[in-house]
């Protein structure tokens, strides 16, 4: 006669033992997902090197340039441009927040910073209404919501300097400042 072991749980009619396999698979899957998110966040924080720029663009054949905006940085950085060239700038907002790209000298940047601050609600993460800009500010300004993209033609000034900034309140303070390197033809 076989005696039941003390470790065996008594089973009553109509009950069955539940498998722990789905719980284990879920926990392992969640751990893997968290690890991938952390790896992706680390890779996204590293600046992307600018590709070689080749020949300057012209009005007839603008050079294609792409800038990706993310949370508080621009890719690529530095952005290499030729003085006096025409580029077709494609801008993509790959961040979770609205971002702005302004190309222009100190005067252009200052004017957009003032207009953005005046139009901002001041609430964190609030979408500011578009500022009303007087004619003749110059430069190039593109504002995109998360996931947005657009293209525009831009003639790089032959003289002076060009800054790449996001003038939305708080964005520069968090590091959303790009570097522009101007090369002579």
């Amino acid at each position: 006669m076989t005696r039941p072991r003390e470790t065996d749980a008594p089973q009553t009619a109509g009950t069955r033992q539940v498998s722990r396999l789905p719980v284990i698979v879920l926990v392992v899957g969640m751990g893997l997902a968290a690890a991938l998110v952390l790896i992706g966040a680390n890779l996204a924080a590293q600046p992307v090197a600018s590709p070689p720029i080749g020949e300057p663009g012209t009005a007839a054949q603008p050079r294609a340039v792409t800038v990706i905006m993310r949370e508080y940085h621009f890719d690529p950085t530095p952005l290499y441009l030729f003085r006096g060239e025409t580029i077709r700038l494609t801008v993509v907002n790959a961040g979770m927040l609205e971002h702005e790209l302004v190309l222009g000298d100190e005067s252009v940047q200052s004017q957009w910073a003032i207009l953005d601050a005046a139009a901002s609600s001041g609430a964190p993460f609030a979408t500011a209404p578009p500022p009303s800009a007087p004619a003749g500010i110059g430069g190039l300004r593109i504002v995109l919501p998360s996931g947005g993209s657009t293209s525009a033609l831009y003639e790089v000034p032959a003289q002076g300097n060009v800054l790449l900034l996001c003038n939305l309140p708080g964005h520069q303070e968090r590091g959303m400042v790009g570097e522009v390197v101007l090369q002579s033809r």
Side-chain angles (χ1 to χ4, degrees):
M1 175 160 135
T2 318
R3 292 182 9 183
R5 295 185 305 186
E6 292 179 17
T7 58
D8 290 344
Q11 291 192 358
T12 59
T15 64
R16 65 175 199 231
Q17 194 171 13
V18 177
S19 172
R20 293 184 189 147
L21 183 62
V23 174
I24 293 170
V25 169
L26 180 65
V27 169
V28 170
M30 289 178 66
L32 180 61
L36 290 174
V37 166
L38 291 173
I39 290 169
N42 185 37
L43 291 175
Q46 298 172 0
V48 175
S50 181
I53 62 174
E55 295 296 316
T58 63
Q61 290 186 318
R63 184 170 63 92
V65 174
T66 301
V67 173
I68 300 171
M69 301 184 294
R70 301 181 196 278
E71 259 53 275
Y72 313 117
H73 70 275
F74 296 98
D75 286 329
T77 194
L79 179 62
Y80 291 96
L81 301 174
F82 285 107
R83 292 185 179 280
E85 80 169 321
T86 301
I87 62 171
R88 174 167 305 282
L89 181 65
T90 300
V91 183
V92 178
N93 184 353
M96 298 299 291
L97 304 173
E98 177 181 64
H99 290 294
E100 168 188 73
L101 175 144
V102 177
L103 282 171
D105 62 16
E106 291 90 356
S107 174
V108 168
Q109 299 295 344
S110 175
Q111 291 179 61
W112 279 114
I114 291 167
L115 291 169
D116 283 342
S120 177
S121 67
F125 306 112
T127 300
S132 173
I137 284 184
L140 174 68
R141 176 181 188 253
I142 296 173
V143 178
L144 292 172
S146 175
S149 66
T150 192
S151 291
L153 290 175
Y154 176 66
E155 188 174 327
V156 179
Q159 301 293 319
N161 63 354
V162 176
L163 303 172
L164 171 59
L165 301 173
C166 178
N167 290 304
L168 296 178
H171 288 219
Q172 283 182 44
E173 293 78 9
R174 291 184 178 105
M176 197 151 188
V177 176
E179 180 185 355
V180 177
V181 174
L182 294 173
Q183 298 183 338
S184 297
R185 290 179 183 233

